[in-house]
Amino acid sequence: MRTAYQRLEERFKRVQVLRSITHLLRWDAEVLMPLGSSGIRAEQLALLDTECTAILLSKRTSVLLDRAETSIDSLPDWQKANVREIRRHWNYARAIPKRVTNSLHRATTKAEVVWRQASEENNFKLLAPQLEKVVDAVREKARLLGASLECSPYDALLEEHDPGRTSAEIDAVFQRLGKRLPGLIENAIEKQSAHPPKPITEKISKARQKELGKQIMKIMGFPFDKGRLDESLHPFTEGTSKDLRITSLFAEHDVLSGLMGVLHETGHAMYDFGLPSEWFFQPVGRDQGMTVHESQALFLEMMIGRTREFMRFAAPKIGKTFGVSGPAWDSENLYRLTTRVNKSLIRMDADEATYTIHVIVRHELEKDLFAGSLRVKDLPEAWNAKFKQYMGIAPDTDTRGCLQDSHWPQAYFGYFPTYALGAIFAAQLFETLKRELPSIMQDIQEGRFAPLFAWLNEKVYQHGARLSTGELLRQATGSPLNPDCYLEYLQGKYVDE
Amino acid sequence: MRTAYQRLEERFKRVQVLRSITHLLRWDAEVLMPLGSSGIRAEQLALLDTECTAILLSKRTSVLLDRAETSIDSLPDWQKANVREIRRHWNYARAIPKRVTNSLHRATTKAEVVWRQASEENNFKLLAPQLEKVVDAVREKARLLGASLECSPYDALLEEHDPGRTSAEIDAVFQRLGKRLPGLIENAIEKQSAHPPKPITEKISKARQKELGKQIMKIMGFPFDKGRLDESLHPFTEGTSKDLRITSLFAEHDVLSGLMGVLHETGHAMYDFGLPSEWFFQPVGRDQGMTVHESQALFLEMMIGRTREFMRFAAPKIGKTFGVSGPAWDSENLYRLTTRVNKSLIRMDADEATYTIHVIVRHELEKDLFAGSLRVKDLPEAWNAKFKQYMGIAPDTDTRGCLQDSHWPQAYFGYFPTYALGAIFAAQLFETLKRELPSIMQDIQEGRFAPLFAWLNEKVYQHGARLSTGELLRQATGSPLNPDCYLEYLQGKYVDE
């Protein structure tokens, strides 16, 4: 007879298969779906979600979970961790009644449409009432989650994207970054002004850019028999290790941005491909939240991709695939183009050094919104003040300010910190990597990526969700989260060197 | 309080949404999916199928269906028809236990793989044991279905693809065709030999062929905000009117085949788009089986597309889009190329006049297989004898004979007749159309397709599955199924004219 634990696994296999369908429908919606089909797509996604929740919250699952917990001491470590992860998913699903999910869904659907218009017309007042409704719904969700998880509402939102993370911890890290980064950015800009890179003037077709991306992904070991590269409005990764699809955005006049998008998403993808396959259908076999996921993407894009060594590897391929040559295309110039520091007002265009400022601004505003000390209607003023404080500049319009992306109208609150925490995590990994494999940058320069991914597999991928982010980091690098390591990395790359 | 009927509708909405997901997964598998992802795709499709069957066969559905039938007199006609359709789906699902579905699935999965090898190696003996298992599983399914529907096993298989059709009816029709077609084909070949068309020698890129296809689909009224055109190994149509995707196969050296594929699938698509949208989520709002579906595809491809008038409309567009000119590309030559009669051994390459011979051969062999008078191992010999009988020629290898397509290894038995019945249905529609709208071919020549589709909408599309194929045909044309109308059409187009 099968044990309660085994039967619990069977139920989660069904959830996981349903979720893998959801991934595909979402990917299709961004890449291929005819615009007029969004109505039925929403119904399909809602039904799959309902089915997953029904399995998760069924009486049968509860009983099996209770029983598995009762006899948890007899289970091997992996299964213990799996029971813990299942309970975590169960807590989440149970804490939030359908009424709240529905009102959140209604609010975000409307807010997204209004945001588009408000952004086009530079009219925050148009969005404010809708965004207010989104924030109200998220507040309700955060309150319920917080009560269930016994933490503050905002911490409950953080927990959703990065299990175990608290805002106290983030505050300490961000305060340190907030003090050091503005000066570091000024110094980097000052230093780089002596050697401005030559701009690229050639237009390169999207087809060739995609070809280059696939070429480099292939050399890195992306398994094209289980994945694809396509194009979409924003780069993203969607799917599972059994069918994983990444996209980038290819613009004819901005080839490096397309390539960096490919590297970023390949970082996400290699993590997913490296997750423990024997646990594929179980929660413990999934990734450990967005901080680890972003760390892998940023690691490949920033620490590997935006280096002289990577560019020495890539430049000949770029020249041949695009049919270009000349000083703008030499590896040193490509390196300078991809590490150019600019006080950009737009997060999506930000360089490695200034990106974290964008995150800190969002996080501080979010905290104030959820603490009740900031009202939605006062967002533009608060936004501009924060930018002035950290960057010394402020946007001239809200379209280039607090209306610049749709994350908030889509209810992504508590999500932004994972970008910055991921960058810190990545910097700590990078420091360890260079210590443990001193020849790694030479390998990259010569196109050998196998040692890199074998190392990441050992340190990160193979653990799935068995270890918390903190345990994973400490086991991989020997240290807890350390913003100074990240600051040293930036200082070395952008100022001292 | 909602009535039993209303609650039944709600349950079927869930089934329909799940099935619309299935369509998309199938489309993706043929068009985009990485090859190594077929395992998880199979699990996804199986799970969706299990969920649909569970809803259909749940105790709750049975109770509601019984209640709806008890008070059926109080329902409007459409809902009466819907209850009848629901009962039909229910009967099917209930008649076949999971054990049979599973063994059929196992047998076909294996047979398809073996078929590929057998076909490459021209080795029918390799396939025979696997095909035997498929036939055994289909026999079991047919026996159970027949017992439930109170008809013969083979009629039960026919019923699945064309509700209400019997093999007695098909036999009468096919005997008439089998007598007349061989002579007609000889006469057509004889007549055409006096004016052989000039072959097309230019190679045309797939991208341009696709562009032409989209151009013509757009003029015909294909709503691209709810559908797409892509490429796959075999042309097909997949989806629903809310998200419908067609494909064609584009070969650089065979541009007319790609275009005819587009027309064929556009015929399928326009039918789906025209189905009654107010019944979208209900069985009665779906198509009325494969005979009607094929009739719409063949109508557009053969009766509209392979005409002088269509070619006069299309030739300038072809010339401009492909950047070609000269005698091979004039409308008269394009017409002759697309109406060229050949004694082809391959069904997929067959012309309009000989296609039905292929269907008759398959149908006769299938009947013998299920009557037990033909054994799987004797198929090649029987196949070759039938071809000799009807076409005067026989294939030199089984790869070009009974191994030429994967339909039988995939358990498509009782399906082939719908191609021929669809062609007859289409010919009867065409005769009626020309009588009721005498200027229709002039409209086509001048690129006006609206009257055609408005007429098809009135006669066919808008009825969904409310009328049986027989009722639909009689209401549209005033006549029952009439092979002579089809023979006259072929005689007129290919011999007399």
Side-chain angles (χ1 to χ4, degrees):
Chain A
M1 216 191 81
R2 288 160 311 153
T3 64
Y5 174 78
Q6 285 165 332
R7 278 188 266 170
L8 200 55
E9 273 201 359
E10 283 164 22
R11 294 183 81 71
F12 267 82
K13 177 169 177 182
R14 280 171 61 205
V15 172
Q16 181 65 8
V17 172
L18 289 172
R19 288 205 174 132
S20 71
I21 298 173
T22 297
H23 289 307
L24 210 62
L25 297 187
R26 284 215 195 108
W27 173 85
D28 181 86
E30 298 295 325
V31 176
L32 293 162
M33 187 184 75
L35 275 181
S37 306
S38 58
I40 184 78
R41 182 58 43 91
E43 298 215 46
Q44 292 166 334
L45 290 168
L47 183 58
L48 290 174
D49 193 52
T50 304
E51 299 277 329
C52 280
T53 309
I55 298 171
L56 203 56
L57 294 186
S58 67
K59 184 139 175 63
R60 181 143 197 78
T61 301
S62 289
V63 169
L64 292 172
L65 183 52
D66 286 344
R67 280 198 212 149
E69 283 174 337
T70 307
S71 57
I72 198 159
D73 292 339
S74 66
L75 297 177
D77 277 357
W78 267 102
Q79 297 186 354
K80 279 195 184 97
N82 198 32
V83 173
R84 183 199 69 215
E85 284 298 299
I86 290 175
R87 177 60 79 186
R88 196 167 68 77
H89 288 281
W90 185 88
N91 276 333
Y92 259 88
R94 212 190 48 141
I96 307 170
K98 197 151 181 67
R99 168 185 61 79
V100 176
T101 319
N102 286 346
S103 72
L104 191 56
H105 181 71
R106 268 195 306 275
T108 52
T109 305
K110 183 117 188 244
E112 236 194 298
V113 176
V114 176
W115 164 76
R116 209 169 295 268
Q117 199 192 337
S119 163
E120 272 164 24
E121 298 173 5
N122 185 35
N123 183 354
F124 182 79
K125 282 198 176 125
L126 193 66
L127 177 65
Q130 274 309 318
L131 188 56
E132 190 87 55
K133 280 183 191 158
V134 172
V135 170
D136 283 346
V138 175
R139 275 199 188 110
E140 172 72 354
K141 174 181 152 181
R143 192 184 61 75
L144 292 165
L145 269 179
S148 162
L149 305 173
E150 298 178 2
C151 64
S152 78
Y154 189 66
D155 277 13
L157 292 179
L158 293 173
E159 170 88 19
E160 195 174 354
H161 306 292
D162 188 10
R165 187 73 55 195
T166 66
S167 54
E169 192 179 5
I170 293 173
D171 289 346
V173 168
F174 282 13
Q175 269 164 29
R176 176 94 186 114
L177 296 179
K179 271 197 197 112
R180 285 282 310 279
L181 278 175
L184 195 154
I185 290 165
E186 293 295 344
N187 293 342
I189 290 172
E190 165 75 26
K191 176 157 189 284
Q192 289 184 345
S193 67
H195 304 281
K198 295 169 197 70
I200 287 172
T201 50
E202 288 96 333
K203 287 189 175 181
I204 308 293
S205 78
K206 293 179 174 201
R208 288 201 175 180
Q209 292 190 48
K210 199 171 149 190
E211 194 189 324
L212 175 75
K214 287 171 88 167
Q215 214 180 107
I216 288 176
M217 286 162 71
K218 205 163 184 179
I219 294 171
M220 287 185 164
F222 183 98
F224 276 101
D225 66 324
K226 289 186 281 179
R228 292 179 55 92
L229 168 66
D230 292 276
E231 205 199 347
S232 65
L233 279 177
H234 298 290
F236 68 84
T237 297
E238 189 73 87
T240 66
S241 61
K242 291 184 190 280
D243 186 351
L244 195 61
R245 300 177 181 196
I246 76 171
T247 69
S248 192
L249 172 64
F250 301 111
E252 286 187 352
H253 61 280
D254 189 5
V255 298
L256 290 174
S257 160
L259 177 59
M260 292 299 122
V262 166
L263 292 183
H264 187 96
E265 303 308 325
T266 300
H268 281 304
M270 295 304 275
Y271 179 25
D272 282 329
F273 280 123
L275 289 169
S277 60
E278 65 275 32
W279 294 90
F280 177 79
F281 291 109
Q282 299 304 312
V284 73
R286 311 315 310 140
D287 61 84
Q288 178 51 281
M290 285 317 295
T291 289
V292 184
H293 236 308
E294 282 305 329
S295 81
Q296 295 311 299
L298 291 170
F299 188 89
L300 199 64
E301 180 197 345
M302 303 292 184
M303 279 129 204
I304 302 301
R306 299 185 192 232
T307 58
R308 288 197 167 83
E309 291 86 352
F310 178 82
M311 286 307 170
R312 286 188 200 122
F313 152 75
K317 287 173 179 54
I318 294 173
K320 200 170 169 194
T321 312
F322 294 174
V324 291
S325 59
W329 295 96
D330 78 21
S331 66
E332 178 63 21
N333 195 59
L334 294 174
Y335 169 69
R336 284 201 213 152
L337 283 168
T338 51
T339 51
R340 182 85 166 150
V341 180
N342 269 307
K343 287 189 187 174
S344 163
L345 291 163
I346 306 297
R347 181 184 59 89
M348 295 286 290
D349 304 335
D351 59 87
E352 187 178 15
T354 56
Y355 191 89
T356 309
I357 294 293
H358 292 265
V359 173
I360 294 174
V361 167
R362 306 283 180 118
H363 174 65
E364 292 187 357
L365 294 172
E366 285 187 4
K367 272 200 311 173
D368 292 348
L369 270 178
F370 283 88
S373 58
L374 173 63
R375 287 171 303 180
V376 167
K377 73 178 179 61
D378 299 325
L379 252 180
E381 207 182 322
W383 178 286
N384 295 355
K386 291 273 181 210
F387 259 81
K388 195 87 192 158
Q389 174 193 341
Y390 286 114
M391 292 264 244
I393 52 168
D396 47 349
T397 67
D398 292 338
T399 295
R400 291 167 58 77
C402 66
L403 287 172
Q404 69 179 251
D405 61 39
S406 62
H407 284 47
W408 283 342
Q410 288 173 326
Y412 275 84
F413 292 98
Y415 177 79
F416 282 108
T418 66
Y419 288 125
L421 300 172
I424 298 170
F425 193 125
Q428 292 181 252
L429 276 180
F430 191 49
E431 190 196 45
T432 314
L433 171 71
K434 283 190 296 185
R435 198 173 57 234
E436 296 188 357
L437 298 181
S439 63
I440 192 68
M441 294 316 292
Q442 188 64 30
D443 284 337
I444 302 301
Q445 183 166 318
E446 287 163 24
R448 289 187 299 273
F449 289 89
L452 172 69
F453 289 109
W455 188 85
L456 288 172
N457 194 62
E458 185 202 325
K459 298 288 182 180
V460 181
Y461 303 170
Q462 62 159 328
H463 302 291
R466 190 168 62 89
L467 305 175
S468 72
T469 308
E471 289 165 330
L472 192 64
L473 182 60
R474 193 182 285 269
Q475 188 170 301
T477 69
S479 311
L481 199 69
N482 177 8
D484 286 322
C485 174
Y486 176 57
L487 287 165
E488 274 164 40
Y489 158 77
L490 290 178
Q491 176 78 23
K493 183 169 179 178
Y494 290 92
V495 183
D496 296 344
E497 189 244 21
Chain B
M1 217 189 83
R2 287 160 310 152
T3 63
Y5 174 79
Q6 286 165 332
R7 277 187 268 170
L8 201 55
E9 274 200 358
E10 284 164 22
R11 293 181 82 72
F12 267 81
K13 176 169 176 181
R14 278 170 62 204
V15 172
Q16 181 65 9
V17 172
L18 289 172
R19 287 202 175 136
S20 72
I21 297 172
T22 299
H23 289 307
L24 211 60
L25 297 187
R26 285 215 195 108
W27 173 85
D28 181 85
E30 297 295 326
V31 176
L32 292 162
M33 188 184 75
L35 275 181
S37 306
S38 58
I40 184 77
R41 183 58 43 90
E43 298 215 46
Q44 293 166 335
L45 290 169
L47 182 59
L48 290 175
D49 193 52
T50 304
E51 298 278 329
C52 280
T53 309
I55 298 172
L56 202 57
L57 293 187
S58 67
K59 183 140 175 64
R60 180 143 198 79
T61 300
S62 290
V63 170
L64 292 173
L65 182 51
D66 286 344
R67 281 199 211 147
E69 283 175 338
T70 308
S71 56
I72 198 159
D73 293 339
S74 66
L75 297 176
D77 277 356
W78 268 102
Q79 298 186 355
K80 279 195 183 96
N82 198 33
V83 173
R84 183 200 69 215
E85 285 298 300
I86 290 174
R87 177 61 78 187
R88 196 166 68 77
H89 288 281
W90 186 88
N91 276 334
Y92 259 87
R94 213 190 46 143
I96 307 168
K98 197 152 183 66
R99 168 185 60 79
V100 176
T101 319
N102 286 346
S103 71
L104 191 56
H105 180 70
R106 268 195 307 275
T108 53
T109 304
K110 183 117 189 246
E112 235 194 298
V113 175
V114 176
W115 163 76
R116 212 169 293 269
Q117 199 193 335
S119 163
E120 273 164 24
E121 297 172 6
N122 186 36
N123 182 354
F124 182 78
K125 280 196 179 128
L126 194 66
L127 178 64
Q130 273 311 317
L131 188 56
E132 191 87 56
K133 281 183 190 159
V134 172
V135 170
D136 282 346
V138 175
R139 275 200 188 109
E140 172 71 353
K141 174 182 153 180
R143 191 185 61 76
L144 291 165
L145 269 179
S148 162
L149 305 174
E150 298 177 3
C151 64
S152 78
Y154 190 66
D155 278 12
L157 292 179
L158 294 172
E159 170 87 20
E160 196 174 354
H161 306 293
D162 188 10
R165 186 74 54 195
T166 64
S167 54
E169 192 178 6
I170 292 173
D171 289 346
V173 168
F174 282 13
Q175 268 163 30
R176 176 94 187 112
L177 296 179
K179 269 196 200 117
R180 285 282 311 279
L181 279 175
L184 195 152
I185 289 165
E186 294 294 346
N187 293 341
I189 290 172
E190 164 75 25
K191 177 158 189 284
Q192 290 184 346
S193 66
H195 303 282
K198 295 168 197 70
I200 288 173
T201 51
E202 288 97 332
K203 285 190 176 181
I204 309 293
S205 77
K206 292 180 175 203
R208 286 199 177 180
Q209 293 189 49
K210 197 170 150 190
E211 193 189 323
L212 175 76
K214 286 171 88 166
Q215 214 180 108
I216 288 175
M217 285 162 72
K218 205 163 184 178
I219 295 171
M220 288 185 163
F222 183 98
F224 276 100
D225 65 324
K226 289 186 283 181
R228 293 179 54 93
L229 169 65
D230 291 276
E231 205 200 347
S232 64
L233 279 177
H234 298 289
F236 67 84
T237 296
E238 189 72 87
T240 66
S241 61
K242 293 186 190 278
D243 186 351
L244 195 61
R245 301 177 181 197
I246 76 171
T247 69
S248 192
L249 171 65
F250 301 110
E252 287 186 352
H253 61 279
D254 189 5
V255 298
L256 289 175
S257 161
L259 178 60
M260 291 299 123
V262 166
L263 292 184
H264 187 95
E265 303 307 326
T266 300
H268 281 304
M270 295 304 274
Y271 179 25
D272 282 330
F273 280 123
L275 290 169
S277 60
E278 66 276 31
W279 293 89
F280 177 79
F281 291 108
Q282 300 303 313
V284 72
R286 311 314 311 140
D287 60 84
Q288 179 51 282
M290 285 317 295
T291 290
V292 183
H293 236 309
E294 283 304 330
S295 81
Q296 295 311 299
L298 292 169
F299 188 89
L300 199 64
E301 180 196 346
M302 303 292 184
M303 280 129 203
I304 302 300
R306 299 185 192 233
T307 58
R308 290 197 165 84
E309 290 86 351
F310 178 82
M311 287 306 171
R312 286 189 200 122
F313 152 75
K317 287 173 179 53
I318 293 173
K320 200 168 167 195
T321 312
F322 293 174
V324 292
S325 60
W329 295 97
D330 79 20
S331 66
E332 178 64 21
N333 195 58
L334 294 174
Y335 170 70
R336 285 203 211 149
L337 283 167
T338 52
T339 51
R340 182 86 166 151
V341 179
N342 270 306
K343 287 189 188 174
S344 162
L345 291 163
I346 307 296
R347 181 183 59 88
M348 295 286 290
D349 304 336
D351 60 87
E352 188 177 16
T354 56
Y355 191 89
T356 309
I357 294 291
H358 292 264
V359 173
I360 293 173
V361 166
R362 307 283 181 117
H363 174 65
E364 292 187 357
L365 295 171
E366 285 187 4
K367 271 200 312 174
D368 291 349
L369 269 178
F370 283 88
S373 58
L374 174 63
R375 286 173 303 180
V376 167
K377 72 178 182 60
D378 299 326
L379 252 179
E381 206 182 320
W383 177 286
N384 295 354
K386 289 274 179 207
F387 259 81
K388 194 90 191 155
Q389 173 191 340
Y390 285 116
M391 294 263 244
I393 53 170
D396 46 348
T397 67
D398 291 339
T399 295
R400 291 166 57 77
C402 66
L403 286 172
Q404 69 178 250
D405 60 39
S406 62
H407 285 47
W408 283 341
Q410 288 174 324
Y412 276 84
F413 292 98
Y415 177 78
F416 282 108
T418 67
Y419 289 125
L421 300 172
I424 298 170
F425 193 125
Q428 292 181 253
L429 275 180
F430 190 49
E431 190 196 47
T432 313
L433 171 71
K434 284 190 295 186
R435 196 172 60 234
E436 295 188 357
L437 298 181
S439 63
I440 192 67
M441 293 316 292
Q442 188 65 29
D443 284 336
I444 302 299
Q445 183 166 318
E446 288 163 22
R448 287 187 301 273
F449 289 88
L452 171 70
F453 289 109
W455 188 85
L456 288 172
N457 194 62
E458 186 202 323
K459 298 288 182 181
V460 182
Y461 303 170
Q462 64 161 327
H463 301 293
R466 191 168 62 90
L467 306 175
S468 72
T469 308
E471 288 165 330
L472 191 64
L473 182 60
R474 193 181 284 269
Q475 189 170 300
T477 69
S479 311
L481 199 70
N482 178 8
D484 286 324
C485 174
Y486 176 57
L487 288 165
E488 274 164 39
Y489 158 76
L490 290 178
Q491 176 78 22
K493 183 168 180 178
Y494 290 92
V495 183
D496 295 345
E497 189 244 22

